[in-house]
Amino acid sequence: MAMEGKRLSLAYRNLKHVPVEYVNDYFDRVEVLDMSYNCMTELRSLASFTILTTLILDHNQITSHVKFTPLPTLHTLWVNHNAISNLVVFIDQVRKNFPNLRHLSMMNNEASPSFFNGGSFEQYEDYRMYVISHIPSLRILDDTHVTAEQRTASKKIYGRRATSASTRTRRSS
């Protein structure tokens, strides 16, 4: 385990979940949590990390049906090289639980087609449009900034689902 400032690394530990002792000892001090290269499938224990801003879960066993808990402070999520195959299911979980997400990286998952994993350019563009339309706070998807043109195109293709819901919520408050 390596704790540097507000960053905790639990990478390369063959973990299936966050050990209770780390939750109890670090939940109120960790802003960046790196759990790369583990066997993570269950993430509910992350609810205790109340100031978490960055979560790195690259090279785990995260699936489309992972159950996240709400983390309103989270703005960066990396889930590269996992087992995410259903984009609709996964993005719905992300959208509901991370309302302030600005950076999402899903590279090398079946649900995020690209040249590197056998996807076509059209599939990659459709993937981007879908994610952008459902996560309006997103600024960077994978390794590329979200442009105003992409945001406009995503609304035309997928409608105003996410932005309509957030507008209704603001009006009713």
Side-chain angles (χ1 to χ4, degrees), residues 125-137:
E125 284 293 306
D126 188 50
Y127 150 74
R128 283 189 66 82
M129 294 298 109
Y130 184 84
V131 174
I132 293 166
S133 74
H134 285 76
I135 306 176
S137 58

Side-chain angles (χ1 to χ4, degrees), residues 68-173:
F68 290 114
T69 56
L71 292 171
T73 57
L74 195 76
H75 61 70
T76 301
L77 175 64
W78 291 354
V79 288
N80 302 302
H81 299 273
N82 275 283
I84 302 164
S85 59
N86 187 318
L87 185 63
V88 173
V89 170
F90 184 75
I91 292 302
D92 190 52
Q93 274 291 309
V94 169
R95 181 184 59 79
K96 287 177 182 174
N97 290 292
F98 312 132
N100 296 304
L101 196 66
R102 295 190 307 252
H103 184 179
L104 173 63
S105 189
M106 292 182 57
M107 294 187 285
N108 238 348
N109 281 287
E110 184 182 335
S112 58
S114 73
F115 173 76
F116 299 107
N117 64 5
S120 69
F121 179 74
E122 291 78 16
Q123 289 171 319
Y124 172 72
E125 284 293 306
D126 188 50
Y127 150 74
R128 283 189 66 82
M129 294 298 109
Y130 184 84
V131 174
I132 293 166
S133 74
H134 285 76
I135 306 176
S137 58
L138 207 58
R139 300 292 172 250
I140 299 172
L141 177 56
D142 297 330
D143 60 350
T144 307
H145 284 272
V146 174
T147 66
E149 294 81 17
Q150 288 173 328
R151 207 168 291 289
T152 300
S154 74
K155 287 177 187 173
K156 286 180 183 174
I157 295 168
Y158 287 103
R160 303 181 72 116
R161 298 165 210 230
T163 54
S164 301
S166 62
T167 301
R168 270 187 258 116
T169 303
R170 280 195 304 262
R171 285 184 190 150
S172 65
S173 340

